[in-house]
Amino acid sequence: EHIANIALLLPYLEVSVNQEYLVNRIGELASGSCLGSFRWESGGKYKNSQWNKELPTDSQIVMHCIATYLDSHLPRNLCILRVAPSPHSTLYKHPVKRTLRRRSMLSSHPPSTAPL
């Protein structure tokens, strides 16, 4: 029973080879409310040391978890044939950085935009 549950969790841990840090950091981010300890350009302490660039940032961890969740729950795009499904097929990189002229933060993506 536990082995089957581990198989469901493994994709969430692929963002870093340092899975001890990753599991501890996800636990820290999940405690409390509203990701209170979230640091967008860094992370938390690891083994009594400050975060360093060898560890994933909180932004990378959160986006990877969101993308993994979406990949596992949304249907695959049947119009795109692939030998194997790519990870994070639900996230798209916007082709051009745009300056916002309006207050709206929404942006539409044409169906032809290639996945990350």
Side-chain angles (χ1 to χ4, degrees), residues 9-85:
L9 293 176
L10 288 179
Y12 291 91
L13 302 177
E14 292 175 353
V15 71
S16 174
V17 294
N18 191 333
Q19 294 182 350
E20 181 183 6
Y21 169 77
L22 188 58
V23 169
N24 286 332
R25 189 62 184 152
I26 290 172
E28 289 173 5
L29 291 170
S31 66
S33 63
C34 300
L35 296 172
S37 63
F38 179 83
R39 293 177 183 88
W40 70 272
E41 62 183 350
S42 65
K45 289 186 177 183
Y46 176 62
K47 293 187 177 180
N48 297 324
S49 298
Q50 292 296 326
W51 177 88
N52 62 60
K53 292 187 177 192
E54 294 176 3
L55 300 170
T57 65
D58 288 350
S59 297
Q60 290 172 315
I61 293 171
V62 171
M63 285 305 299
H64 178 79
C65 288
I66 291 170
T68 301
Y69 176 83
L70 291 174
D71 283 350
S72 67
H73 286 79
L74 294 176
R76 299 269 181 226
N77 185 348
L78 299 177
C79 298
I80 301 172
L81 298 176
R82 297 186 189 153
V83 176

